[in-house]
Amino acid sequence: QVQLVESGGGLVQAGGSLRLSCAVSGRPFSLYAMGWFRQAPGEEREFVASLSWRGDSTYYADSVKGRFTISRDNAKNTVYLQMNGLKREDTAVYYCAIHRDGLASVRADEYDYWGQGTQVTVSS
């Protein structure tokens, strides 16, 4: 059974930083691309960042480019999202997901399994 468990969310002031983690089990993590998505109240789930299985290809939403960094540690079966310069509009539940293959992608329908989400709240 494939499981994804996010951690690292919380309350932070605008301009601050958080690092989200997502631990994966039940699938050979190093062979698959990973992604982060988020959903704010009353909004559709949106793409945030994606990283290929080799770690050599990334995609970012324009809204987070230059502030967020996705990375992975294959030895720990974990993907990270470093979030700097947080803004109020970054407030959302953040989800990690594992892709159906190794290619980074912005499309949510290409991801097989999802975590339960972790809340990030940015205050002004």
Side-chain angles (χ1 to χ4, degrees):
Q1 182 179 358
V2 180
Q3 289 189 318
L4 292 81
V5 180
E6 300 102 335
S7 60
L11 174 64
V12 63
Q13 286 191 327
S17 298
L18 282 174
R19 188 177 80 155
L20 305 183
S21 300
C22 173
V24 179
S25 60
R27 181 177 271 193
F29 174 80
S30 63
L31 299 181
Y32 294 89
M34 296 296 300
W36 286 96
F37 294 76
R38 67 186 182 186
Q39 187 168 19
E43 303 287 333
E44 299 274 323
R45 186 174 297 189
E46 65 173 0
F47 168 77
V48 175
S50 178
L51 178 65
S52 63
W53 69 285
R54 289 183 177 178
D56 58 352
S57 177
T58 57
Y59 292 116
Y60 292 96
D62 287 344
S63 58
V64 307
K65 213 170 281 185
R67 299 188 298 122
F68 290 12
T69 303
I70 187 171
S71 63
R72 64 192 300 156
D73 185 339
N74 288 342
K76 296 182 178 180
N77 288 357
T78 300
V79 63
Y80 304 97
L81 186 68
Q82 178 67 43
M83 305 186 294
N84 299 328
L86 283 161
K87 305 176 181 180
R88 286 191 65 185
E89 52 264 41
D90 294 319
T91 295
V93 177
Y94 283 72
Y95 300 89
C96 69
I98 188 165
H99 196 264
R100 65 190 183 198
D101 62 34
L103 302 178
S105 173
V106 306
R107 293 185 53 168
D109 63 356
E110 293 182 1
Y111 290 80
D112 287 341
Y113 296 93
W114 296 75
Q116 82 288 350
T118 186
Q119 176 71 46
V120 172
T121 303
V122 184
S123 64
S124 59

